[in-house]
Amino acid sequence: MSPETAPANEPDRAPDLEAVWQQVQPAAARRLLVAAAEAFAVRGFHATRTRDIAQGAGMSPAGVYVHYRSKEELLYRITLTGHQQTLALIRTATAGGAGPTARLTAVIAALTAWHARQHTTTRVIEYELHSLTPDHHTEIVHLRREVDGLVRQILADGVACGDFDVPDVPTTTLALLSLSVDVARWYHPSPRLTPEHLGDLYADLALRMVGGAGSAAVAD
Amino acid sequence: MSPETAPANEPDRAPDLEAVWQQVQPAAARRLLVAAAEAFAVRGFHATRTRDIAQGAGMSPAGVYVHYRSKEELLYRITLTGHQQTLALIRTATAGGAGPTARLTAVIAALTAWHARQHTTTRVIEYELHSLTPDHHTEIVHLRREVDGLVRQILADGVACGDFDVPDVPTTTLALLSLSVDVARWYHPSPRLTPEHLGDLYADLALRMVGGAGSAAVAD
DNA sequence: GTCTATACGCCGATAGAC
DNA sequence: GTCTATCGGCGTATAGAC
């Protein structure tokens, strides 16, 4: 392989997508994960053939089973890692003991930008859950409950100290998470609407939704 | 079939789901549509076997092809009718020449309640688009653009007359539609959270998001 | 670890009787 | 219009050489 051309089995991919799986070793296992995530995101789990994944990773069909026991295990690894990263993201954004307003805007901005920048990965982890085995599905649902609990706590704190005005905390929590999650469904990269810009817009919308300070632009 | 028992090929279904397809004739074609919508919603298009659909409609596997040319045609009919009903819903809610505030709350309440009550159907029409043939997919995307345009116009009108404060109309339109669409993903029937109640809650959230009157609770 | 070749079951769709 | 029977093809996963 000459230095001026990329190897044939390393397709030219968005660097962001590779970055998510950087720590996966060996390289062949990582290429398979990335290829699987791309295929699952575009076609869905059941419409993706193991041949698609192998070809995307520059391998023969049989090569998949050296690194993973089944197609479902690929989905599981993607989904598990994705949810762990989502949780880490939220915990980072809420750390430091800031007030509810700062925590809410930080979380929504980060979560939204993550769903936009990694829309390929997040499309899989948000919309292909039902293709997991029952055991794996149960495990992921537990992680999703943690996500819900962390955001709900911010709203509860904001209501308790009077910063927020929220008639129905559980449903508003769902609505806020809905906004960010659904970004994975429709977002495509655009110079007009970068992940960071969208994150800021959505953080502002979130603040308005909870009746927080800065949301009363109309009252001026 | 005795009068006190339901016929074996008419499973005990939510009446709401039957109501959506009431006008489809003959009855066998309707039963197939309903069975397909249920199966597609739970398992997804590619994980659903024609045998599942036939069994759900109380027919043999071959019976499907008397009424539909392919499994994809079933998905297409469900998706097309669903989008037509969505558009009709929005047009009804915006009719009458009311102001932007009344139109927005009516549309969001109706759209949200529709996604909740018909979460089985809407889960299919919102999340299985990618399994349509290219031609059918293109046709549906046109209908979706109409939906987007109708909601965007409400926001534009509200901004023009000063009722709304929206920094980015296209993105806020997407966010509002996101909220309602995503209901199809997570909603399940609950006495605490009826479709109508959720619709009212979301209409209030929508008004806050656009900085409309009644959203400035914090400013008092 | 990667390949070629293939086993084996499943699925969409059709044939043809009634 | 519905059935029984079945075709042809595809797709996951494995066997075994290198």
Side-chain angles (χ1 to χ4, degrees):
Chain A
M1 304 179 194
S2 61
E4 60 272 356
T5 57
N9 56 4
E10 290 278 7
D12 192 25
R13 290 205 175 89
D16 285 336
L17 185 53
E18 295 281 354
V20 178
W21 309 109
Q22 223 164 11
Q23 62 187 10
V24 176
Q25 292 296 343
R30 177 172 63 252
R31 291 204 313 271
L32 285 165
L33 264 189
V34 172
E38 287 184 319
F40 293 164
V42 173
R43 311 164 190 235
F45 176 77
H46 285 288
T48 299
R49 293 158 297 198
T50 51
R51 283 166 174 79
D52 298 333
I53 299 169
Q55 192 172 4
M59 304 177 68
S60 74
V64 174
Y65 298 91
V66 175
H67 301 280
Y68 301 94
R69 276 190 293 174
S70 66
K71 192 173 76 159
E72 192 271 348
E73 195 192 340
L74 276 161
L75 176 62
Y76 171 61
R77 295 284 168 207
I78 293 164
T79 307
L80 177 62
T81 306
H83 278 82
Q84 287 168 341
Q85 295 198 21
T86 300
L87 268 169
L89 195 85
I90 295 175
R91 292 214 165 93
T92 300
T94 56
T101 297
R103 279 153 62 208
L104 181 67
T105 53
V107 165
I108 297 299
L111 201 59
T112 301
W114 151 254
H115 276 83
R117 183 177 304 101
Q118 302 300 339
H119 61 98
T120 300
T121 299
T122 54
R123 206 170 291 169
V124 176
I125 75 172
E126 302 293 359
Y127 298 116
E128 301 295 329
L129 288 183
H130 55 85
S131 297
L132 291 167
T133 63
D135 280 3
H136 289 162
H137 186 267
T138 301
E139 182 183 354
I140 300 299
V141 165
H142 285 316
L143 295 178
R144 296 178 75 83
R145 292 225 178 96
E146 285 190 57
V147 169
D148 189 83
L150 286 166
V151 174
R152 186 184 318 212
Q153 190 59 52
I154 300 175
L155 295 201
D157 291 349
V159 169
C161 73
D163 288 356
F164 297 165
D165 166 44
V166 177
D168 184 330
V169 167
T171 307
T172 306
T173 302
L174 268 171
L176 288 167
L177 288 172
S178 261
L179 269 188
S180 291
V181 164
D182 200 59
V183 166
R185 181 179 60 87
W186 60 261
Y187 184 82
H188 63 103
S190 143
R192 190 191 80 78
L193 195 62
T194 64
E196 289 71 27
H197 184 202
L198 184 63
D200 290 343
L201 282 170
Y202 270 34
D204 179 58
L205 286 177
L207 216 50
R208 292 179 177 215
M209 288 165 75
V210 301
S215 72
V218 133
D220 292 337
Chain B
M1 305 181 190
S2 61
E4 59 272 356
T5 56
N9 55 5
E10 290 278 9
D12 193 24
R13 289 205 177 87
D16 285 336
L17 184 55
E18 294 281 355
V20 178
W21 309 109
Q22 222 164 14
Q23 62 187 8
V24 176
Q25 291 295 341
R30 178 173 61 251
R31 290 204 313 270
L32 285 165
L33 265 188
V34 172
E38 287 184 319
F40 294 163
V42 173
R43 311 166 190 234
F45 177 78
H46 286 288
T48 298
R49 294 157 294 207
T50 52
R51 284 162 176 80
D52 298 333
I53 299 170
Q55 192 173 5
M59 304 176 68
S60 73
V64 174
Y65 298 92
V66 175
H67 301 280
Y68 301 94
R69 276 190 291 177
S70 66
K71 191 172 79 159
E72 192 270 348
E73 196 193 339
L74 276 161
L75 176 62
Y76 171 62
R77 294 285 168 205
I78 293 164
T79 307
L80 177 61
T81 306
H83 278 81
Q84 288 168 340
Q85 296 198 20
T86 300
L87 268 169
L89 195 85
I90 295 175
R91 293 212 165 93
T92 300
T94 56
T101 297
R103 279 153 64 208
L104 181 66
T105 53
V107 164
I108 297 300
L111 201 58
T112 302
W114 152 254
H115 276 83
R117 184 176 302 101
Q118 301 301 339
H119 60 99
T120 299
T121 299
T122 53
R123 206 169 292 170
V124 176
I125 75 172
E126 302 293 0
Y127 297 116
E128 302 294 328
L129 289 181
H130 54 86
S131 296
L132 292 167
T133 62
D135 279 3
H136 288 162
H137 186 267
T138 301
E139 182 183 354
I140 300 298
V141 166
H142 285 318
L143 295 179
R144 295 179 75 83
R145 292 225 178 94
E146 286 191 57
V147 169
D148 188 84
L150 286 167
V151 174
R152 186 183 318 210
Q153 191 59 52
I154 300 175
L155 295 201
D157 291 350
V159 169
C161 73
D163 288 356
F164 297 165
D165 166 45
V166 178
D168 184 330
V169 168
T171 307
T172 305
T173 302
L174 268 171
L176 288 168
L177 288 172
S178 261
L179 268 188
S180 291
V181 164
D182 200 60
V183 166
R185 181 178 60 85
W186 60 261
Y187 184 82
H188 62 104
S190 141
R192 191 191 79 80
L193 195 62
T194 64
E196 289 71 27
H197 185 204
L198 185 63
D200 291 342
L201 282 170
Y202 271 33
D204 179 58
L205 286 177
L207 215 51
R208 292 178 177 215
M209 289 165 74
V210 300
S215 73
V218 134
D220 292 338

